[in-house]
Amino acid sequence: MKKWIYIALGVLVVGFVSYQWYSSKNSTQTASASVRTAVVQQGKLEVKISGSGTVQPVTSEDIKSTIDNNEIDEVLAAAGDEVKKGDELITFTDGSDPVTAPADGVVTTMSVTAGERVTSGQVVAHLTNYKDLQTVVQIDELDIPKIKRGQTVSLKVNAFVDQAYTGKVTAIAEEGTSTNGVSTFDVTIHIDKPDNLKVGMSTEASILTASKDNALYVPLDAIYTSNNQKYVIIASSDTTNQNSGSEQKTVKTGLANEDYVEITDGVTAGETVQLPQLATGSTTNNGQRMMQGSGFGGGFGGFGNTGGFNRSGTGQRQFTGRSGN
């Protein structure tokens, strides 16, 4: 009986030791695999702010009579007619100045008939131009100071996912709308070539607010902070040991967004920088944090030309970077 007890205990001990060895080996391999690096890239760095909205006509207005108590002689246009600016729409029996189209467009409604008398200020028709379109998007209050008239815009329309549209900022609202303590502002974007677009379609706009050629840039989590200084870790050639031969370099930063940051001083193109480990729950030497939080403490604090992270919702920053040859 004792023999079987010893055998059972022996099997348990061997199994436990084997399990510990396997777990330790697997943990080492996982730690090694989690060492991450990135190469310092050089190319065009673009910072964009995004917002969503709908397609609207640039011209959509009521046409009003300027004549008081005059009788209409003829109504020269009907709903659905396409007219040019200055075309006569309504004439009067007494020869008064006719009502004319204030712009190119389509007469969407005609509210009067021949023989009817009109008063000054009375709406007699409505005009809409479906060939000259714009979109109005909502931008977060944190980003609105960076939006300027004339900025170029890339547009996506949900109805035409494979087609790209462009435009320019033409107007910025002076007053915002507050919802749940967050204010947004309407930004009007004139669409360059609104082929196939219809009023009411949903749009996503990316407004280019900053751009720099030949910029050096790295992923955001490659930057660490200590004593109000930013630095990177130049990665060791031994990728299995993140601290073997690594070098800490102080850097200065420039343009930034939610993915990448420009480095204006401290590194050169092609250098390899160390990124935080994928493992969580502890910190490494030199004060660098794990992926749970990069060296920024969750924001862009201190970056030139950027400000802080956007709140969720409209006005998210985007990045476009193209490496140099």
Side-chain angles (χ1 to χ4, degrees):
M1 186 68 178
K2 290 183 178 180
K3 179 180 179 181
W4 288 107
I5 293 175
Y6 291 141
I7 292 174
L9 289 174
V11 170
L12 289 174
V13 170
V14 171
F16 177 76
V17 171
S18 298
Y19 173 77
Q20 291 292 92
W21 176 84
Y22 176 80
S23 297
S24 175
K25 181 180 179 181
N26 188 59
S27 176
T28 300
Q29 291 175 342
T30 301
S32 298
S34 66
V35 176
R36 302 161 54 244
T37 61
V39 176
V40 179
Q41 299 290 320
Q42 184 171 19
K44 187 173 185 178
L45 180 64
E46 295 180 339
V47 180
K48 297 181 178 181
I49 293 173
S50 65
S52 58
T54 57
V55 175
Q56 299 179 10
V58 173
T59 300
S60 181
E61 61 180 287
D62 289 332
I63 301 173
K64 299 180 180 180
S65 170
T66 59
I67 305 299
D68 191 33
N69 200 32
N70 275 16
E71 182 180 344
I72 294 174
D73 181 32
E74 287 185 281
V75 176
L76 303 175
D81 287 351
E82 188 169 339
V83 298
K84 296 292 185 180
K85 181 178 181 180
D87 285 353
E88 293 186 358
L89 305 180
I90 298 170
T91 60
F92 298 97
T93 56
D94 65 355
S96 299
D97 291 339
V99 175
T100 60
D104 295 352
V106 174
V107 177
T108 53
T109 61
M110 180 60 71
S111 306
V112 294
T113 59
E116 183 177 343
R117 288 187 175 273
V118 295
T119 58
S120 180
Q122 178 182 340
V123 175
V124 296
H126 189 87
L127 182 74
T128 303
N129 190 342
Y130 294 108
K131 296 180 179 180
D132 188 19
L133 302 177
Q134 62 189 16
T135 182
V136 179
V137 300
Q138 289 73 49
I139 299 298
D140 189 283
E141 62 183 321
L142 297 180
D143 288 318
I144 203 66
K146 304 175 186 67
I147 306 298
K148 309 295 181 185
R149 286 183 176 85
Q151 288 175 332
T152 58
V153 183
S154 299
L155 292 167
K156 292 183 179 180
V157 180
N158 292 348
F160 301 104
V161 293
D162 296 326
Q163 190 167 349
Y165 294 89
T166 60
K168 289 188 181 298
V169 175
T170 56
I172 304 164
E174 295 294 335
E175 296 185 13
T177 302
S178 180
T179 303
N180 297 325
V182 178
S183 292
T184 58
F185 290 77
D186 286 347
V187 173
T188 303
I189 299 162
H190 184 263
I191 303 173
D192 295 331
K193 295 180 180 179
D195 299 336
N196 303 321
L197 298 186
K198 295 185 181 297
V199 173
M201 286 183 172
S202 299
T203 61
E204 292 289 337
S206 295
I207 304 170
L208 181 64
T209 59
S211 177
K212 187 172 183 179
D213 292 325
N214 297 318
L216 297 178
Y217 58 89
V218 296
L220 273 180
D221 54 356
I223 307 293
Y224 304 93
T225 57
S226 177
N227 298 324
N228 295 321
Q229 283 193 327
K230 300 183 183 72
Y231 63 92
V232 297
I233 305 296
I234 302 301
S236 165
S237 58
D238 180 5
T239 58
T240 62
N241 186 350
Q242 64 174 347
N243 293 317
S244 175
S246 61
E247 178 186 0
Q248 179 176 313
K249 283 189 175 182
T250 300
V251 296
K252 295 180 180 179
T253 56
L255 296 178
N257 54 53
E258 62 183 7
D259 295 317
Y260 292 86
V261 57
E262 176 195 10
I263 298 182
T264 59
D265 185 58
V267 298
T268 58
E271 286 190 290
T272 300
V273 296
Q274 183 176 297
L275 304 179
Q277 290 177 259
L278 291 174
T280 60
S282 63
T283 56
T284 63
N285 293 336
N286 301 321
Q288 56 260 49
R289 296 179 176 86
M290 301 299 185
M291 276 302 276
Q292 288 177 326
S294 71
F296 296 126
F300 285 129
F303 279 173
N305 304 322
T306 57
F309 269 123
N310 284 331
R311 290 166 291 205
S312 60
T314 59
Q316 297 177 343
R317 292 183 181 84
Q318 299 180 346
F319 167 80
T320 302
R322 296 195 294 274
S323 299
N325 295 328

